[in-house]
Amino acid sequence: MEEEGLICWLCGRPLGRKVEYHHPVPKSRGGRATVPVHPICHRTLHATFSNAELERQFSEPDKLRAHPDIAKFLCWIARKPPDFHAPTRRRK
């Protein structure tokens, strides 16, 4: 199902057929609100940060976008089509 007119909370690109919903404050930390994101953006967030880091430091998109790893990802993904998929590296 295509979400007409929605854009990704993280990268700002239009959403495609597959949409996931991210909790800016992780559900395990009491977060209830969700935002639409591409699956690759969602996986990148969780591969880069723990739930504790997301809660304490990165619940705002501007703070996430300023992080060097996320900024590099956003530059790379910027010209990809909405339903682009690639393997996501796990946290080290």
Side-chain angles (χ1 to χ4, degrees):
M1 174 171 114
E2 189 153 335
E3 299 281 344
E4 292 292 326
L6 288 182
I7 61 166
C8 179
W9 179 79
L10 180 64
C11 74
R13 295 179 304 131
L15 291 168
R17 288 182 296 114
K18 292 186 179 183
V19 177
E20 292 185 1
Y21 289 87
H22 172 68
H23 290 84
V25 174
K27 191 175 177 182
S28 65
R29 303 288 183 160
R32 293 178 179 243
T34 60
V35 292
V37 292
H38 295 104
I40 194 168
C41 293
H42 200 201
R43 283 167 182 67
T44 298
L45 287 175
H46 288 288
T48 306
F49 304 109
S50 68
N51 280 347
E53 290 170 317
L54 287 169
E55 177 194 23
R56 285 192 310 261
Q57 301 171 24
F58 300 108
S59 62
E60 297 295 323
D62 292 339
K63 290 182 180 179
L64 281 165
R65 292 179 194 125
H67 187 278
D69 293 342
I70 298 300
K72 183 178 175 181
F73 167 77
L74 293 175
C75 286
W76 174 75
I77 200 79
R79 298 199 193 295
K80 305 286 191 264
D83 287 313
F84 176 79
H85 174 74
T88 305
R89 290 186 192 174
R90 290 264 178 226
R91 256 185 96 130
K92 294 179 182 178

